[in-house]
C-alpha cells in the first residue's frame, strides 16, 4: 500500500487531460473555432476562456480573432453593451473592428444607436472591417439614413445591411434611395444588401469607393439608372432578386467601365440589354441563358469565362454568340430532375 501511495505522489503519474498537451497555436485555433459563428453572443462565448487557467487566459488574449467582433443585440439593454465595450477595450489595446447591430426596431437608430456610438467612439474609428445592421423588418431600413448615424471619414471594408423579414411595401411608400446610405458611409468598398425591399439607385452622386456590390434575396429593386454611379465597380452579384420591369423599360443604356465580374442568380428582369461593360471578363451564376443575355454576350466579345445554365432549344445560338470564350462551364437539368454540369477550357484548342 505504501508503494502505491508513493507512486501516486510522483509527478509522472499525474493524469494530464489531452487538452493540456496542446501547444499554444492549437489552443488558439480551437478558441477561434469556438467563437467563429454568426451568433449574437460571441463575447459571452469568449469570456469564460479567461477564467479556466492562467495559460488559457494568456493564449486567449493573444488571439485577436476572438475579440475583433462586437455584437450588439438591441433587444438587450444599451448600458450592458457600454460595459462590454469598455471591458473589451481594457482587455485589448486595439478596439474591435467588426461591429454588428442586431434586431433594430423603429426609433432605435435615432436614439439608442447614436448614444452607443458616441460612448464607444465608433465615430472616430479610422477603419472597420465589417459593419452590419440587421433590422427586424425591411420597412425600417430608411432609418439608417438618419444624418446622426454617419461615418464620413471611416474606411469600411464591408457594409452589410440585412433584414430578418423582407416586406414589400411598394404600395405604401416611395422607393428608398440607397444613395442616402452611401452618403452617410462614403468609403465603403463592399456593399452587401440582403432581404430588403423597395429600394432604388439614383444617379445623384458619383460613388468612387465601392468596388463590389452584392444584392441577395431582395424584392422590387430598381437598380437602373443609378447603377451607373458606381464608376469603379469591379464585381456585381445579384441573387434571387426581383427587378421591376418598369425600371428596365424606361432606362437608356448605362456604362460600367470597371466591371470585370458579373454574377446573376435567378433574378427576373435583369437588364441585360441596358448594360455596357467594356472591361467585363467573366459572367457566372445559376441563370438560364435567354435571348437578352445572348445579345449582351454578342456585344461583349472580350468576355473570357462563362458559367451559366443553358436549355437545349437555345444551345446552338448561344455557342455561336460566344466564339471568344476561353473557359466555358454549362449546366442544366435532364428531365427537370437530374442536374448536369461540364467545364471546357477552350484555350487548349
Amino acid at each position: 500500500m505504501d508503494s502505491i501511495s508513493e507512486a501516486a505522489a510522483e509527478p509522472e503519474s499525474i493524469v494530464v487531460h489531452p487538452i493540456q498537451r496542446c501547444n499554444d497555436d492549437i489552443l488558439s485555433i480551437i478558441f477561434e473555432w469556438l467563437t467563429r459563428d454568426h451568433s449574437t453572443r460571441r463575447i459571452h462565448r469568449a469570456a469564460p476562456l479567461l477564467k479556466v487557467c492562467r495559460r488559457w487566459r494568456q493564449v486567449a488574449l493573444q488571439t485577436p480573432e476572438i475579440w475583433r467582433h462586437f455584437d450588439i443585440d438591441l433587444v438587450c439593454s444599451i448600458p450592458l453593451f457600454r460595459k462590454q465595450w469598455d471591458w473589451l477595450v481594457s482587455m485589448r489595446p486595439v478596439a474591435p473592428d467588426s461591429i454588428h447591430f442586431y434586431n433594430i426596431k423603429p426609433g432605435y437608430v435615432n436614439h439608442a444607436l447614436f448614444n452607443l456610438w458616441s460612448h464607444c467612439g465608433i465615430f472616430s474609428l479610422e477603419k472597420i472591417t465589417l459593419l452590419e445592421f440587421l433590422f427586424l423588418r425591411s420597412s425600417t431600413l430608411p432609418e439608417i439614413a438618419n444624418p446622426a448615424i454617419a461615418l464620413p471619414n471611416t474606411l469600411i471594408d464591408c457594409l452589410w445591411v440585412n433584414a430578418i423579414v423582407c416586406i414589400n411595401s411598394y404600395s405604401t411608400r416611395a422607393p428608398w434611395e440607397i444613395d442616402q446610405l452611401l452618403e452617410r458611409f462614403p468609403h465603403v468598398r463592399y456593399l452587401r444588401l440582403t432581404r430588403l425591399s423597395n429600394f432604388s439607385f439614383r444617379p445623384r452622386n458619383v460613388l468612387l469607393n465601392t468596388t463590389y456590390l452584392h444584392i441577395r434575396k431582395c424584392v422590387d429593386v430598381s437598380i437602373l439608372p443609378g447603377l451607373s454611379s458606381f464608376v469603379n465597380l469591379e464585381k456585381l452579384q445579384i441573387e434571387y432578386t426581383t427587378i421591376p420591369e418598369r425600371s428596365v423599360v424606361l432606362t437608356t443604356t448605362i456604362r460600367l467601365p470597371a466591371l470585370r465580374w458579373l454574377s446573376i442568380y435567378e433574378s427576373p428582369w435583369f437588364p441585360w440589354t441596358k448594360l455596357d461593360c467594356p472591361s467585363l471578363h467573366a459572367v457566372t451564376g445559376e441563370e438560364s441563358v435567354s435571348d437578352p443575355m445572348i445579345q449582351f454576350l454578342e456585344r461583349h466579345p472580350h468576355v473570357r469565362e462563362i458559367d451559366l445554365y443553358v436549355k437545349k432549344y437555345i444551345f446552338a445560338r448561344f455557342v455561336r454568340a460566344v466564339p471568344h470564350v476561353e473557359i466555358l462551364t454549362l449546366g442544366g437539368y435532364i428531365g427537370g430532375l437530374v442536374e448536369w454540369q461540364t467545364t471546357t477550357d477552350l484555350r487548349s484548342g
Side-chain angles (χ1 to χ4, degrees):
M1 183 66 67
D2 293 340
S3 61
I4 295 177
S5 300
E6 292 175 359
E10 294 294 329
E12 292 81 1
S13 65
I14 299 177
V15 177
V16 179
H17 194 281
I19 194 66
Q20 297 295 337
R21 300 171 183 169
C22 294
N23 59 38
D24 292 352
D25 293 338
I26 298 298
L27 270 183
S28 181
I29 294 174
I30 293 174
F31 293 167
E32 288 184 14
W33 275 101
L34 179 65
T35 58
R36 187 184 299 172
D37 61 8
H38 297 287
S39 170
T40 60
R41 301 176 63 85
R42 277 174 282 204
I43 295 178
H44 297 274
R45 287 192 171 195
L49 299 174
L50 305 177
K51 303 177 182 179
V52 175
C53 63
R54 183 179 301 174
R55 180 185 173 219
W56 278 35
R57 178 184 178 87
Q58 181 179 3
V59 172
L61 291 177
Q62 294 176 352
T63 307
E65 181 64 26
I66 298 177
W67 313 106
R68 62 185 297 264
H69 299 280
F70 185 47
D71 302 304
I72 304 169
D73 190 342
L74 293 176
V75 171
C76 304
S77 65
I78 293 300
L80 171 64
F81 292 106
R82 292 179 180 174
K83 293 180 180 179
Q84 287 185 353
W85 179 275
D86 294 340
W87 178 78
L88 275 175
V89 173
S90 67
M91 301 303 295
R92 295 184 58 237
V94 181
D97 66 349
S98 182
I99 305 172
H100 311 257
F101 297 91
Y102 300 98
N103 298 321
I104 301 176
K105 299 178 180 179
Y108 267 93
V109 174
N110 297 334
H111 302 92
L113 283 186
F114 178 78
N115 294 333
L116 184 63
W117 284 37
S118 299
H119 175 84
C120 299
I122 296 178
F123 290 114
S124 60
L125 293 178
E126 295 183 359
K127 180 179 180 180
I128 297 177
T129 302
L130 173 60
L131 178 61
E132 178 185 2
F133 295 93
L134 178 60
F135 291 82
L136 288 176
R137 295 188 176 187
S138 59
S139 56
T140 60
L141 174 63
E143 291 197 21
I144 200 175
N146 186 284
I149 303 298
L151 296 173
N153 301 313
T154 302
L155 177 62
I156 303 175
D157 284 342
C158 178
L159 174 60
W160 186 9
V161 184
N162 193 3
I164 297 176
V165 179
C166 180
I167 299 178
N168 187 2
S169 56
Y170 179 78
S171 60
T172 61
R173 65 172 176 85
W176 183 73
E177 298 180 7
I178 209 70
D179 309 64
Q180 300 176 36
L181 173 66
L182 294 176
E183 287 177 358
R184 310 293 178 237
F185 307 96
H187 301 286
V188 173
R189 292 178 177 173
Y190 172 21
L191 177 60
R192 184 176 181 183
L193 308 172
T194 308
R195 285 192 294 271
L196 307 179
S197 65
N198 191 23
F199 64 90
S200 64
F201 295 84
R202 300 297 179 188
R204 298 188 301 181
N205 300 308
V206 175
L207 304 172
L208 299 174
N209 298 301
T210 303
T211 59
Y212 186 1
L213 175 61
H214 185 184
I215 304 174
R216 178 178 173 83
K217 293 185 177 180
C218 293
V219 177
D220 214 357
V221 180
S222 301
I223 63 173
L224 300 179
L227 198 60
S228 59
S229 299
F230 296 87
V231 294
N232 291 321
L233 190 67
E234 298 177 0
K235 294 183 178 181
L236 175 60
Q237 185 172 4
I238 301 180
E239 303 174 295
Y240 316 108
T241 293
T242 58
I243 300 172
E245 179 183 358
R246 61 187 178 277
S247 69
V248 177
V249 175
L250 300 177
T251 303
T252 58
T253 301
I254 67 169
R255 185 179 177 87
L256 297 175
L259 191 69
R260 292 186 52 80
W261 182 72
L262 177 62
S263 180
I264 308 298
Y265 286 73
E266 298 184 19
S267 298
W269 286 104
F270 179 78
W272 294 102
T273 60
K274 304 293 184 178
L275 296 182
D276 178 20
C277 312
S279 301
L280 190 62
H281 179 82
V283 178
T284 68
E286 293 183 2
E287 189 77 5
S288 296
V289 174
S290 60
D291 287 335
M293 187 190 301
I294 290 179
Q295 296 174 21
F296 173 83
L297 293 173
E298 289 175 337
R299 291 187 292 107
H300 293 80
H302 40 271
V303 172
R304 293 295 179 262
E305 296 183 23
I306 292 180
D307 183 352
L308 297 168
Y309 281 85
V310 60
K311 295 181 179 179
K312 183 177 180 180
Y313 77 93
I314 206 171
F315 180 80
R317 185 183 170 197
F318 168 75
V319 172
R320 289 195 300 268
V322 292
H324 45 278
V325 170
E326 297 177 350
I327 299 178
L328 179 62
T329 301
L330 297 177
Y333 292 89
I334 301 176
L337 297 176
V338 180
E339 184 179 10
W340 64 272
Q341 188 178 66
T342 180
T343 299
T344 304
D345 189 343
L346 302 176
R347 292 171 296 185
S348 59

